[in-house]
Amino acid sequence: MRPELLARIGSMEMRARQVVEGMMAGLHRSPFRGLSIEFAEYRRYQPGDEIDRIDWKAYARSDRFYIKEFEDETNLNAWIVLDASASMGFASKDGAMTKWQYGATLAACMAYLLQCQNDAVGLVLLDEAIRVQMEPRGTRGHLAHVVGQMERTTPSRQTRLADALHRTASRIKRRGMVLVVSDLLDDPAEVIAGLRHLQFGGNDVRVFHTLDPAELDFDFAGPTLFVDPETNRTVPALADQVRADYLGAMQAFLKNYSEELGKTNIAYRLVNTSEPLDRALFSLVS
Amino acid sequence: MGFVNLLFAIGAATLAGPLLYHLLLRDRAQRRILPTLRFLGQMAPQTYAAHRLKNLLLLLLRLAVLALIVLAFMRPYMKADAEQADPDKAQEGVVFALDTSLSMRAQDRWDNARSRLETLLESQPPDTRLALLLFDRAPRLAVSDTTDNLEVLAALRTAKPGAASTDLLAAIRSACDAASHLQALRKRVYLLSDFQNSALNDIRLDLVLPPGVDLFPVPIDDVDRFNATIQNVRETDSEAKDKRRIVVQAAGFGPGRHTAEVVVRDGGEVLASREIVVDASRPVVADIEFPVETDREMFLTAHLELKDAIDEDNAFPFKIEDRSPIPLLVLAPIGSIRLGDEAGGIPSDANPFLKAAVRACEPRVRSKWLDPSQIDAVRVGDYAVVLALGPEAFPPATIARLQEYVRSGGAVVAFPEKGEGDALGDLVGVEVRGWREIDPEVGYRLVSGGTDGGPFSIPGESVDSLVGHPRASRYLEVSEEFPEGVGALLRFDDGSPFLLARKMGSGSVFCFTVPLDPRATDFPIRASFCPFLLEMFRHATRRAEGAFDYRVGDIVPGNELPEGGMVLAPTGRSLDESGTLALAEPGFYRIVTGGKNRTLAVRTDPEESDLSMMTVDEIDAISRLSRSEDAFTDPDLLTASSLTSSDRPPDASRRLWFTLLSAVLGVMALESLLAARTVR
């Protein structure tokens, strides 16, 4: 479903359900079995291990005792880290979803999807600091709390994403999956350091770099007075004349994130808010 | 700076166009939120500022284009900086140029002119620099530069119209010159005149007013009046021996036909009269015959008496010449002539052409023939003219006698025969180089090369009509380096002299360069030979005095006046300090030197009698030559126009205009360039 149509759905939970169920219908006959029961590795039996965990089939083949380990045997703890700074409140067209709406909907979809698998989902809303932190839980009522919190939140403050990520990383006690939804408009080096901090705790970090098409394509023309929504700083410019420089700088910005995060095995996905949400969700499950 | 077309300043309203365009339709910066502001870079504000600056510059250029176009159409001109800067100068300077020509005597023109001038004088603000110029044929500055109205009024009271003609162009030039010398910032010339048609000859071509001077014509009469005048009087032969006959030519000017009476007077005595009808269509010629007792020279006056005529305009002084036989002494190298032979005894072997000519001149000439060696036998001074044939062969004593005779007032007419010897050169005062011969089968010289002035330089008449193009194949060649007093009266077509004249004392020598020989020239066998010879005799004896006729206002130079002579003007003695004679009155001027009198007939200009004035359109046409819209205009003037100069010469004003237009084109080009480079 197109984002602009999705935006007409008032309830974020409804939106998330619409997106996820549509996507799941597309995944019919898929071999996908869930996130938290994935095989991780075999290891030798150690004294003290529960006998129930011995893989008898492997013993039959090799005549040795092996323990089969899974990444999380019970429930996945997924943290959704959502940028709620003022820059996320930007939408280039009237009626289109803002980056915040898009990112929040995407986060709700993820939460819904995880909840369907009985995984625990937590939420961190941050701007210049951590504004909201909700510990992961797998109950259905918790999902409603998470979505409701996002619905109540309005992006308003400045971004200090790197600090907020560091603080988030220090607060996550149990490793799990961290889904970061942000426009990453902060110092890239510091942001990457923050993300690596998250990864350092053993978390599977996935970044959804959410940007508006106007930010990506810079489709402005004529003399324009550009205003930074966070600082209210204004820059007068002739859009036609500065477009090339802007696009060059933007490409360098994106390339920097893509390459640096790729080096550290942090999944990076650029999300254009004009794209359907299920594309971003596919990148989550693929 | 001033402007010729100030009304074009209204065009400055067009400046609002680009202003409104820029204010209402300019590109306003749209306010757009952009979180990724950091990627705009440092150059964005600078390019935007440059864009705004270019837009502002574009506005200024467009305003400048329109302003320059408006300025160009306003035709600016520069005023003299020095004049504007001098604080000592008065604000106003006025020159009153008052016509005092003869035509101003007509009716009440003079009174009207004085009245208008007094009115204008009273209307001038205090401290106005004033000058008064009186003019007719020649302008005279009566008051040069004053702020005292009384001084001008006093000069005006003593002024009165004279008898001279009008030269309006000279008056305008002098008045403008006087105005330019006034110590004032703004100068005006009031030209008070009757503006006769004849007074403004080629003024449209010549008039260039000096900087800062405005000219205001003030016509003092606008009625075309009829008038008539005598244009010429000449004597003609009368069939009656006891009468003299004259032909009077009269002309009328203005509307209608009028009866006039021509009255010929000798002093106060009326000799004859004749009634004529004159109008403006063509001149009227009247023959008038009157009895006189002798053939003596007489100085008469023809009057044209016409109602509404100007008082002095109708008098035409003229002379009827002495018709008594001219005593002629012929010196010809002939041995058979007997001493004392008179006209009846012309020697048979004398030059036949000379004999025929002298006979043809009788009875106007009474001749005596002598051999040059016999000159001591007569008193040469008793003869008015000596005709010398072949003087190059005369004895030196004869030449000396002839020179003495000429210095005392006599006249010698000479024809060369052989041209050898220095006697001819001594007599004429030129170097004789010898005979020049041309094969008559091949060519010859024609007398058609013009004259150097003198009695045979008659305006409007060609040499042909005087001598009939005589040709020569043999003539004396003389040096062209003439001493003072010697000139060539007639020349061949190659420029060689044909007739030489030498002024010596109070007499003259005339010498032809051709002999009286048909093998050398056809001059003696031409029909014009005898009349020409007689005319020469009359000229030599001053009976056909060329310098007799003068116009009022003429100046007789001192070298044409006899030394120690006394001049009797028509109204008394007159001779100015410079030794020249200014002929200010019509009538006879008599120059008395020793026992000899010389009489000058001074006449008024016939054209001055034309009282019809220029039309208002004509005056306006002159005004349009260089009218200034902001020039002062006197509503009382008959024509509200003014002859106004540009304060720079016309070329400079035109250059300024072209400079402005060039600036417009330059700014437009700059505007186009900038507009193309400005992103809208």
Side-chain angles (χ1 to χ4, degrees):
Chain A
M1 184 178 282
R2 302 295 303 173
E4 53 268 26
L5 296 176
L6 200 61
R8 295 178 185 174
I9 300 174
S11 167
M12 187 175 291
E13 188 174 348
M14 287 291 289
R15 266 187 254 163
R17 187 173 294 167
Q18 185 76 21
V19 171
V20 172
E21 287 179 356
M23 185 195 75
M24 292 302 284
L27 292 175
H28 187 64
R29 296 176 187 271
S30 171
F32 179 69
R33 289 292 182 270
L35 293 169
S36 60
I37 53 173
E38 285 191 11
F39 169 76
E41 60 180 355
Y42 285 105
R43 69 173 171 84
R44 282 182 178 272
Y45 174 75
Q46 298 287 330
D49 287 340
E50 292 179 17
I51 296 174
D52 294 347
R53 296 181 62 186
I54 295 174
D55 187 337
W56 297 108
K57 290 181 181 176
Y59 173 74
R61 286 194 300 269
S62 62
D63 201 20
R64 292 179 182 175
F65 294 109
Y66 285 99
I67 300 295
K68 190 176 182 180
E69 287 199 334
F70 294 88
E71 286 198 343
D72 195 332
E73 291 180 331
T74 55
N75 286 318
L76 176 69
N77 277 345
W79 288 88
I80 296 175
V81 178
L82 185 57
D83 185 354
S85 65
S87 64
M88 289 294 285
F90 172 68
S92 58
K93 294 178 183 174
D94 291 338
M97 294 177 81
T98 65
K99 287 192 288 183
W100 164 255
Q101 287 173 330
Y102 191 96
T105 305
L106 179 62
C109 291
M110 291 171 182
Y112 183 73
L113 190 59
L114 291 166
Q115 200 266 340
C116 287
Q117 296 178 158
N118 296 318
D119 290 331
V121 177
L123 176 66
V124 175
L125 298 180
L126 46 84
D127 38 43
E128 57 191 5
I130 296 173
R131 197 189 298 182
V132 173
Q133 181 176 347
M134 298 175 76
E135 292 297 321
R137 288 182 187 173
T139 62
R140 189 167 187 82
H142 181 67
L143 177 64
H145 282 303
V146 168
V147 172
Q149 183 61 51
M150 288 192 291
E151 280 185 323
R152 284 193 300 273
T153 303
T154 304
S156 58
R157 300 179 191 170
Q158 292 190 21
T159 308
R160 290 170 65 185
L161 186 59
D163 287 350
L165 288 175
H166 282 294
R167 289 180 188 175
T168 303
S170 62
R171 290 187 185 186
I172 295 176
K173 304 299 182 187
R174 187 180 171 191
R175 68 179 184 175
M177 179 182 283
V178 180
L179 305 172
V180 179
V181 179
S182 169
D183 54 11
L184 304 180
L185 293 178
D186 199 351
D187 181 23
E190 293 184 5
V191 170
I192 290 169
L195 291 171
R196 292 190 68 178
H197 191 181
L198 280 173
Q199 189 189 36
F200 184 73
N203 295 308
D204 177 11
V205 180
R206 302 187 179 205
V207 176
F208 294 87
H209 193 178
T210 310
L211 289 172
D212 189 272
E215 293 173 317
L216 291 167
D217 302 333
F218 199 74
D219 54 351
F220 300 101
T224 309
L225 184 66
F226 293 104
V227 183
D228 189 325
E230 292 186 0
T231 62
N232 283 329
R233 186 169 73 94
T234 57
V235 174
L238 294 174
D240 309 88
Q241 289 192 2
V242 299
R243 178 178 291 115
D245 291 344
Y246 175 90
L247 292 178
M250 174 58 81
Q251 288 304 317
F253 174 72
L254 297 177
K255 186 179 178 185
N256 182 42
Y257 271 120
S258 176
E259 289 180 355
E260 292 298 320
L261 295 179
K263 287 177 187 172
T264 55
N265 289 324
I266 295 175
Y268 172 80
R269 172 73 162 91
L270 174 64
V271 179
N272 186 332
T273 60
S274 64
E275 291 178 352
L277 273 162
D278 47 3
R279 287 191 191 173
L281 281 178
F282 269 127
S283 67
L284 175 68
V285 300
S286 61
Chain B
M1 174 179 279
F3 299 95
V4 175
N5 304 314
L6 195 59
L7 280 177
F8 276 100
I10 296 170
T14 57
L15 294 180
L19 270 177
L20 289 174
Y21 178 79
H22 278 257
L23 288 175
L24 301 178
L25 303 177
R26 65 176 175 169
D27 280 339
R28 295 171 189 275
Q30 294 182 336
R31 189 180 175 88
R32 303 296 298 270
I33 292 174
L34 185 67
T36 51
L37 200 64
R38 65 179 68 184
F39 302 130
L40 283 179
Q42 297 294 322
M43 292 301 292
Q46 295 177 18
T47 55
Y48 184 74
H51 171 76
R52 290 192 63 180
L53 190 65
K54 282 179 184 174
N55 270 336
L56 185 63
L57 196 58
L58 207 56
L59 169 64
L60 293 176
L61 286 175
R62 286 169 179 166
L63 289 174
V65 167
L66 287 173
L68 285 171
I69 289 174
V70 170
L71 194 63
F73 276 95
M74 287 168 68
R75 300 294 301 271
Y77 58 91
M78 305 300 295
K79 287 185 174 174
D81 294 338
E83 286 184 2
Q84 291 180 335
D86 192 346
D88 296 333
K89 289 187 173 180
Q91 287 296 316
E92 301 285 343
V94 174
V95 175
F96 299 102
L98 179 59
D99 189 350
T100 58
S101 66
L102 177 65
S103 61
M104 292 296 287
R105 295 187 187 183
Q107 299 288 318
D108 50 0
R109 285 184 177 182
W110 178 245
D111 292 337
N112 288 345
R114 281 176 44 156
S115 171
R116 290 302 300 274
L117 197 153
E118 286 170 0
T119 305
L120 285 170
L121 186 62
E122 288 170 6
S123 67
Q124 300 310 314
D127 297 330
T128 300
R129 310 298 304 187
L130 302 167
L132 176 63
L133 181 91
L134 306 175
F135 70 92
D136 41 35
R137 234 182 101 171
R140 314 171 292 284
L141 203 55
V143 178
S144 61
D145 187 355
T146 182
T147 55
D148 187 1
N149 288 15
L150 294 176
E151 189 177 344
V152 178
L153 286 173
L156 182 62
R157 272 193 290 273
T158 59
K160 61 179 181 180
S165 56
T166 314
D167 186 344
L168 210 49
L169 180 56
I172 291 173
R173 282 179 174 154
S174 292
C176 290
D177 183 54
S180 63
H181 285 89
L182 289 179
Q183 294 294 308
L185 295 178
R186 192 169 186 178
K187 298 151 186 174
R188 283 171 284 150
V189 171
Y190 290 106
L191 191 64
L192 297 100
S193 170
D194 53 3
F195 288 98
Q196 290 171 271
N197 266 325
S198 57
L200 208 59
N201 297 326
D202 298 323
I203 192 167
R204 291 162 184 81
L205 301 174
D206 294 332
L207 186 64
V208 177
L209 301 183
V213 177
D214 291 338
L215 178 62
F216 298 90
V218 186
I220 49 93
D221 194 1
D222 57 352
V223 179
D224 280 349
R225 304 174 191 281
F226 182 83
N227 195 21
T229 187
I230 295 174
Q231 290 182 315
N232 198 11
V233 176
R234 62 181 174 83
E235 186 182 7
T236 184
D237 290 335
S238 172
E239 292 180 359
K241 285 196 172 181
D242 57 343
K243 288 185 177 176
R244 304 293 286 265
R245 185 182 179 196
I246 58 170
V247 177
V248 177
Q249 179 179 314
F253 306 99
R257 286 167 66 88
H258 296 260
T259 302
E261 187 172 25
V262 179
V263 182
V264 180
R265 289 191 175 94
D266 179 11
E269 179 189 358
V270 175
L271 298 180
S273 65
R274 165 107 184 253
E275 196 171 84
I276 59 173
V277 176
V278 286
D279 58 20
S281 63
R282 61 180 182 274
V284 178
V285 176
D287 283 351
I288 300 177
E289 221 169 33
F290 48 91
V292 291
E293 292 178 355
T294 66
D295 288 340
R296 67 184 170 90
E297 182 181 66
M298 296 179 73
F299 297 96
L300 308 176
T301 304
H303 294 262
L304 185 69
E305 296 180 354
L306 175 78
K307 191 174 182 182
D308 295 336
I310 306 171
D311 290 347
E312 278 83 5
D313 187 29
N314 55 2
F316 190 94
F318 66 100
K319 180 185 76 167
I320 54 174
E321 69 177 76
D322 183 356
R323 296 181 73 87
S324 61
I326 298 170
L328 173 68
L329 177 63
V330 183
L331 293 177
I334 44 177
S336 59
I337 191 167
R338 293 198 311 272
L339 184 66
D341 272 354
E342 299 297 330
I346 297 174
S348 58
D349 55 349
N351 186 303
F353 305 103
L354 189 60
K355 283 194 297 185
V358 172
R359 279 208 181 100
C361 290
E362 291 172 350
R364 306 291 297 274
V365 169
R366 188 181 70 243
S367 65
K368 181 176 181 63
W369 294 70
L370 279 181
D371 187 88
S373 60
Q374 300 173 315
I375 193 167
D376 290 335
V378 294
R379 283 178 55 192
V380 184
D382 291 342
Y383 296 89
V385 181
V386 173
L387 200 157
L389 198 62
E392 64 274 17
F394 285 7
T398 305
I399 293 297
R401 282 289 304 276
L402 287 177
Q403 287 176 337
E404 183 186 346
Y405 160 73
V406 171
R407 285 195 193 93
S408 63
V412 172
V413 179
F415 286 94
E417 279 215 308
K418 297 185 174 62
E420 294 169 358
D422 296 333
L424 184 66
D426 291 344
L427 185 63
V428 185
V430 296
E431 179 191 346
V432 179
R433 290 177 174 166
W435 290 100
R436 177 175 173 80
E437 298 199 31
I438 303 170
D439 184 355
E441 298 296 328
V442 176
Y444 39 76
R445 292 278 173 256
L446 277 173
V447 177
S448 60
T451 72
D452 286 354
F456 306 107
S457 175
I458 300 172
E461 290 200 36
S462 67
V463 176
D464 298 357
S465 63
L466 292 171
V467 293
H469 264 326
R471 57 189 183 183
S473 58
R474 182 168 179 263
Y475 59 94
L476 266 184
E477 199 171 38
V478 299
S479 169
E480 274 290 340
E481 294 176 1
F482 298 147
E484 189 178 349
V486 178
L489 298 184
L490 295 170
R491 290 176 182 272
F492 288 116
D493 51 5
D494 70 340
S496 306
F498 172 74
L499 174 59
L500 295 161
R502 180 186 188 186
K503 185 93 176 165
M504 190 188 295
S506 54
S508 299
V509 177
F510 301 92
C511 181
F512 291 88
T513 59
V514 292
L516 290 178
D517 182 350
R519 290 169 297 182
T521 175
D522 64 350
F523 182 44
I525 60 174
R526 283 184 168 268
S528 60
F529 177 62
C530 293
F532 184 78
L533 208 57
L534 177 60
E535 201 59 32
M536 278 206 70
F537 296 154
R538 291 179 62 228
H539 174 73
T541 56
R542 296 199 183 97
R543 295 189 179 190
E545 184 84 58
F548 175 82
D549 299 328
Y550 289 93
R551 294 277 167 87
V552 174
D554 283 351
I555 305 290
V556 183
N559 59 358
E560 292 185 15
L561 297 171
E563 290 181 13
M566 185 178 68
V567 178
L568 294 175
T571 56
R573 190 177 185 280
S574 170
L575 189 64
D576 72 17
E577 295 174 356
S578 62
T580 59
L581 176 59
L583 305 173
E585 310 162 39
F588 293 109
Y589 280 73
R590 299 181 196 282
I591 304 169
V592 182
T593 312
K596 290 192 175 181
N597 289 349
R598 184 182 172 198
T599 303
L600 312 179
V602 181
R603 299 162 188 155
T604 56
D605 187 347
E607 288 195 348
E608 186 63 19
S609 300
D610 183 358
L611 300 180
S612 57
M613 64 173 290
M614 298 166 57
T615 63
V616 172
D617 287 343
E618 283 177 310
I619 297 175
D620 277 345
I622 298 166
S623 306
R624 280 194 295 273
L625 282 175
S626 54
R627 174 181 295 187
S628 168
E629 293 295 339
D630 58 349
F632 170 83
T633 303
D634 186 342
D636 291 336
L637 300 182
L638 181 63
T639 77
S641 57
S642 65
L643 292 172
T644 306
S645 71
S646 295
D647 282 7
R648 293 269 186 244
D651 284 347
S653 179
R654 206 171 296 125
R655 274 201 298 276
L656 182 61
W657 199 70
F658 283 127
T659 304
L660 281 172
L661 286 184
S662 303
V664 168
L665 292 176
V667 174
M668 284 178 76
L670 203 61
E671 189 268 346
S672 302
L673 189 68
L674 194 62
R677 292 173 63 92
T678 302
V679 178
R680 300 193 57 80

